Amino acid sequence: MNHFLDVHKTDSAALNSILDQAHAMKTARAGRPRAALDDDLPLDGHMVALIFEKPSTRTRVSFDVGVRQMGGQSMVLSGADMQLGHGETIADTARVMSRYVDLIMIRTFDESVLLEMAEFADVPVINGLTDRTHPCQIMADVMTYQEHRGSIKGKKVVWCGDGNNVCASLLHAAAQFQFDLTFTGPAQLDPEDEFVGLARRAGSTIQIERDAETAVQGADLVVADTWVSMHDSQSTKERRHNLLRPYQVNDALMAHAKPDALFMHCLPAHREEEVTSSVMDGPASVIFDEAENRLHAQKAIMRHCLGK
């Protein structure tokens, strides 16, 4: 079963094959209307369930459009529609859904929901995001770097801010794509030791550096993410802002990176908080290419999951 649950759970050859296909599909669509079907329709006759316990813009639209462009049909379901884990077990839901659809993408809170869905489903399951990881985003990020600068192997990537789910998947990618990663942020928000250890054992240089300017020295890529979640209380937001203010990505900080360094952010961004508008709209920023590449990377992931 070709699930796509986390970057480190898919072997590096398959990951590179997925990205090669994503680049090829993006190139083939150049100049087409957004609604046009691909020449190759690997999802023709296939039904894909898109399950959202967490709200989404990019994930929902990119998966839905991707399914349609490849000739398939999608069914978008919210957690309220399904009452996941409330009454019926996740396992039973997975068994039932497998009788109706060919592929399941789920965006949820607790990683255990994803893992139980994958364990009991008879069709492939894709991790659209959990509180712990966000592998589809990182596949788009690696694709975007390749598009602009070539191979990411051996490059220095710097993560600024909170060691969150996106940072976790970036650590997984460091192991699989063989780049180095420096985390700069407050100790209270360090990435999980398990993920740091995984990347180091794979041969990547993983550093924790509290001083942001020191961390960014010689960086090929600087990455940030929002400091707060929509679910955070006001007191939590204020506490996080105080902790993370020294790690804002601004022009002064980017000046310490390489002259041709790129800046990425998975969006949505809070301008003038984790990153300034001058960086977001500046020459180093590839954030909108990164957002578009969610579509292409995820199309290739779906093809991989279905053996297409």
Side-chain angles (χ1 to χ4, degrees), residues 129-135 137-138 141 159 162-172 223-225 266 290:
L129 173 142
T130 71
D131 284 345
R132 203 169 184 222
T133 60
H134 196 358
Q137 178 64 56
I138 296 307
D141 292 359
W159 177 272
D162 178 6
N164 62 11
N165 52 356
V166 184
C167 181
S169 287
L170 195 62
L171 283 163
H172 294 160
V223 189
D225 195 2
C266 67
E290 181 187 4

Side-chain angles (χ1 to χ4, degrees), residues 106-138:
I106 182 167
R107 180 179 172 97
T108 188
F109 294 90
D110 195 328
E111 183 184 55
S112 66
V113 174
L114 167 77
L115 298 179
E116 189 172 352
M117 182 73 73
E119 180 181 357
F120 291 96
D122 294 323
V123 298
V125 174
I126 295 173
N127 177 0
L129 173 142
T130 71
D131 284 345
R132 203 169 184 222
T133 60
H134 196 358
C136 290
Q137 178 64 56
I138 296 307

Side-chain angles (χ1 to χ4, degrees), residues 50 52 56-69 74 76 105 291 294-295 298 302:
L50 306 176
F52 293 91
S56 166
T57 299
R58 275 149 293 276
T59 300
R60 175 169 179 164
V61 175
S62 58
F63 265 108
D64 200 0
V65 170
V67 170
R68 297 175 191 223
Q69 286 181 352
S74 59
V76 180
M105 188 289 302
R294 286 289 300 278
L295 170 65
Q298 289 163 185
M302 287 188 280

